[in-house]
Amino acid sequence: MAKGLQGFSWTMLLLFCAIQELGSWATHTAVEGPGLGQPGDPALLAGGRVKRGWVWNQFFVVEEYTGTEPLYVGKIHSDSDEGDGSIKYTISGEGAGTIFLIDEITGDIHATERLDREQKTFYTLRAQARDRQTDQLLEPESEFIIKVQDINDSEPRFLEGPYIGSVAELSPIGTSVMQVMASDADDPTYGSSARVVYSVLEGEQHFTVDSKTGVIRTAVADLDRETQDRYEVVIRATDMAGQLGGLSGSTTVTIVVTDVNDNPPRFPQKMYQFSIVETAPVGTAIGRVKAEDSDVGENTDMTYQVKDEEGVEMFKVTTDSNTQEAVITVQKPLDYESKKVHTVVVEALNKFVDPRFVDLGTFRDQTIVRVSVLDVDEPPEFRPPSNLMEVQEDAHVGSVVGVVTALDPDTANHPVRYAIDRSTDTERIFDIDAKTGAIVTGKVLDRETAGWHNITVLAMEADNHSQVSRASLRIRILDVNDNPPELATPYEAAVCEDAKPGQLIQTISVVDRDEPQSGHHFYFTLAPEATNNHHFSLLDIQDNTAAVHTQRVGFNRQEQDVYLLPILVVDSGPPALSSTGTLTIRVCGCDSNGAIQSCNSTAYVVSATLSPGALIALLVCVLILVVLILLILTLKRHHKSHLTSEDDEDMRDNVIKYNDEGGGEQDTEAYDMSALRSLYDFSEIKGGDGGGGPGEGGPSRNPASELHALPQWVQSPDLDFSVFRDYICRKVEQADEDLSVPPYDSFQTYAFEGSDSPVPSLSSINTWSSSSEQDFSYLGGWGPRFRQLAALYAGRRGEEDSEES
């Protein structure tokens, strides 16, 4: 069929060219070059007739020419051409020399390439007529256009695909879905090559398309998303207005059927069963149920509710927004002994209902939920749950305050035992009978100390103490009149020396720690020991206060400056209790306005010369003087303590260290032994018993003869430490008596070396006894630096051994 259409196209093309050629001969067309026809042009003839300069046919070339010979386009010719070949025709511009060639002699133009109007619709060229000999322009250059004649060689194309549209389910017939458009590259102004019509190739049983506009519409009214949620519709576009021989193109349109709420919720089961223990707390989830809905999106959103009265009271239903499930929870405590099975009616209904589909039926459904309560071993329950008891504060120890009762709610009804949580009654003020639950007093009560007691009572099964219940109990201590009234404060009053009889000097009030239910009422009177009082009177004002007035004219503080007035206060009982308080009344000097100046005899004498301001200044000066004296004494004591510590010459502060090595026996200047000798004065012990002169005992270089400068205890064969013992005891006594020194213990070692000793001592402890058991042979292993020291000690050891032998 494609070959037939192609042959038909070429037949029409040849017919069109023949008609064009006949028209070109029938109509002699002149194309003027630029500048022709302008005023003053030599080509213009008198009378307005234009002299023809160029003569050629109008140029059209058919696209998609497939012949083997160049396609003749047209001919250009100048009226000055006499046919002798003296004129050369040339062209320039778009495609000149490549696509279009011209015969220089005849002016015939041919197309050498296959043209496509959809790529380029026309070509603009310029024609020249030149003298062949001189190559000069014989006539002005003129511009002409070669138009590419369109043929129906481009099929319609859908450029905006792929197409996806949507339509709501159950839409009426003719509902617009979407619009498709195809474009044809052929010339829309020439023939019907670009006139496109639309039709449905596939899916025409559900959808139609407008042949001119391409609008797709529904063809049926029963589109159901739940049955089929999308359709693939093939739309064809044909040019040539759909006539025979027209080209066509197609596209696939995906039409999605959107959901509407046309399906009610439905429970898959008519009954669900769940179980839960009776001790489950309020808010515990029992289970979940879900109603199915064929719709999608928000059309599946549901709400659930409990429909029966029993279920509403015991259970609560909420909707899980993520899963659209009904969550059934406990709303009231369950009791296996009261009811073992609960039946709940749960209803599901759509949240969003489309009024257009109400006639399809009710959009709700119901199901039955059966809840079985499981029995567990429960702790005892207090009955009744009263938490208030009262007891008189004068109740004897062991008095019953009240009785608590708890029962085992289980069917077994185990016996119950009671106890008090001692963390709430650490002082053990109350006790409880473990079997009866009777609460008794364990100590004497005092309402004024603690008017309320909060304790926790425990009830547990006798054979299973892990099943424990707790009950808070408030015990109120009722008041009895066991505290006498007392004066509110230790009252002190003042009366002027010139006071008149009946003058109010003090108002008395009292306090009582008791709290009678009818309120306080106190009675005031003077104590029996004040019956002979003629100076003051007491008036009971009957509002729990009393007033003290003067009863005489004037007072003299030189005679008596203080009066003690005993007052007896009695409460209203029962029983009535009383106490006696004393009001101290001072006689004071007052000015003419009654303002008190002073209230004692000493101040009375001084007041004649000093004002109160002067008295205050005097007291301040005395205080400053006392502070200065204390400061001076403190500094003096501190200075004395410092001097005493310096005089004591504590050996810990006179430690002399030598960290260098001496030059041997001949180096007598390495150590200044006077620094050690100067610490103590031994003049009183030099030349003592057994001491000899310098000439006694042998030559002057004998060590024994050179020890006369040391204390006597050094020279004596029997060492005497009494001097050091006395010194140490004296230091200990000073330390014990001086409280300013720290209480540390010290051990001090003293060593002395005689002058001009040939063998200076290297130890802090020098043993002169011939019976010494020290062995210095280990000094030989200390190395070359201690070789001389080892030799000295080894030689001395040998001498001692020889003396002993």
Side-chain angles (χ1 to χ4, degrees), residues 488-536:
T489 60
Y491 286 103
E492 289 190 4
V495 62
C496 295
E497 288 184 301
D498 57 352
K500 297 179 176 57
Q503 183 176 338
L504 176 65
I505 60 174
Q506 185 65 50
T507 302
I508 304 297
S509 61
V510 297
V511 293
D512 193 335
R513 297 175 61 190
D514 295 323
E515 292 183 359
Q517 296 181 357
S518 58
H520 290 290
H521 186 71
F522 304 107
Y523 304 94
F524 299 86
T525 182
L526 292 178
E529 57 267 26
T531 53
N532 296 327
N533 169 62
H534 301 291
H535 307 291
F536 306 97

Side-chain angles (χ1 to χ4, degrees), residues 276-279 334-342 372-376 378 409-411:
I276 188 170
V277 296
E278 61 176 332
T279 56
L334 303 174
D335 187 12
Y336 172 83
E337 289 73 25
S338 300
K339 191 169 186 178
K340 299 178 177 59
V341 178
H342 296 269
S372 299
V373 181
L374 303 179
D375 186 28
V376 295
E378 299 177 272
D410 297 324
T411 306

Side-chain angles (χ1 to χ4, degrees), residues 414-563:
H414 297 96
V416 177
R417 296 294 179 262
Y418 303 92
I420 293 178
D421 186 352
R422 289 305 174 185
S423 64
T424 62
D425 184 26
T426 56
E427 298 181 3
R428 295 183 174 270
I429 299 176
F430 301 96
D431 293 320
I432 190 171
D433 190 292
K435 295 182 179 180
T436 63
I439 299 175
V440 298
T441 58
K443 289 185 177 181
V444 176
L445 305 176
D446 185 11
R447 188 204 63 82
E448 287 71 33
T449 302
W452 288 88
H453 295 273
N454 298 320
I455 64 175
T456 300
V457 179
L458 309 179
M460 62 201 78
E461 294 182 3
D463 54 351
N464 185 6
H465 288 182
S466 63
Q467 296 295 332
V468 181
S469 294
R470 298 173 178 267
S472 297
L473 186 62
R474 301 171 66 238
I475 300 177
R476 179 182 180 183
I477 310 301
L478 301 179
D479 184 45
V480 296
N481 192 26
D482 57 348
N483 292 280
E486 300 174 351
L487 294 182
T489 60
Y491 286 103
E492 289 190 4
V495 62
C496 295
E497 288 184 301
D498 57 352
K500 297 179 176 57
Q503 183 176 338
L504 176 65
I505 60 174
Q506 185 65 50
T507 302
I508 304 297
S509 61
V510 297
V511 293
D512 193 335
R513 297 175 61 190
D514 295 323
E515 292 183 359
Q517 296 181 357
S518 58
H520 290 290
H521 186 71
F522 304 107
Y523 304 94
F524 299 86
T525 182
L526 292 178
E529 57 267 26
T531 53
N532 296 327
N533 169 62
H534 301 291
H535 307 291
F536 306 97
S537 63
L538 180 66
L539 176 63
D540 191 343
I541 306 177
Q542 301 299 321
D543 61 352
N544 294 334
T545 61
V548 179
H549 297 82
T550 58
Q551 206 174 10
R552 55 175 280 188
V553 177
F555 295 87
N556 188 349
R557 56 177 165 167
Q558 297 298 327
E559 297 178 358
Q560 186 175 354
D561 60 345
V562 176
Y563 293 89

Side-chain angles (χ1 to χ4, degrees), residues 289-309:
V289 296
K290 183 179 181 180
E292 303 294 340
D293 194 327
S294 302
D295 298 321
V296 294
E298 67 175 11
N299 295 323
T300 62
D301 292 349
M302 301 181 201
T303 57
Y304 298 89
Q305 59 186 4
V306 179
K307 294 300 293 181
D308 60 309
E309 295 182 358

Side-chain angles (χ1 to χ4, degrees), residues 62-80:
V62 179
E63 67 172 335
E64 303 295 342
Y65 173 70
T66 58
T68 58
E69 297 295 331
L71 177 63
Y72 178 77
V73 177
K75 181 183 182 67
I76 59 175
H77 182 73
S78 175
D79 55 359
S80 60

Side-chain angles (χ1 to χ4, degrees), residues 100-114:
F100 302 103
L101 299 178
I102 187 171
D103 190 318
E104 295 181 351
I105 298 175
T106 62
D108 293 333
I109 300 175
H110 292 81
T112 61
E113 295 183 6
R114 184 178 179 180

Side-chain angles (χ1 to χ4, degrees), residues 594-669:
I596 297 175
Q597 297 295 321
S598 62
C599 295
N600 56 71
S601 57
T602 304
Y604 178 78
V605 175
V606 179
S607 62
T609 58
L610 295 176
S611 63
L615 289 175
I616 295 175
L618 181 60
L619 291 176
V620 172
C621 292
V622 172
L623 181 61
I624 293 175
L625 182 60
V626 171
V627 172
L628 289 176
I629 292 173
L630 292 176
L631 181 61
I632 292 172
L633 291 176
T634 303
L635 292 176
K636 186 175 181 180
R637 180 179 179 183
H638 179 72
H639 183 65
K640 181 179 180 181
S641 175
H642 180 68
L643 293 178
T644 303
S645 63
E646 291 180 353
D647 294 341
D648 289 343
E649 293 185 353
D650 193 347
M651 289 302 295
R652 284 172 303 215
D653 299 331
N654 294 278
V655 177
I656 300 175
K657 295 183 179 180
Y658 295 94
N659 296 326
D660 55 347
E661 184 176 354
E665 296 180 357
Q666 304 303 324
D667 187 4
T668 59
E669 302 297 332

Side-chain angles (χ1 to χ4, degrees), residues 734-761:
Q734 291 179 359
D736 292 340
E737 294 174 358
D738 191 355
L739 300 179
S740 63
V741 299
Y744 51 76
D745 297 331
S746 63
F747 179 79
Q748 298 178 351
T749 302
Y750 302 90
F752 299 92
E753 186 174 358
S755 60
D756 298 330
S757 174
V759 184
S761 175

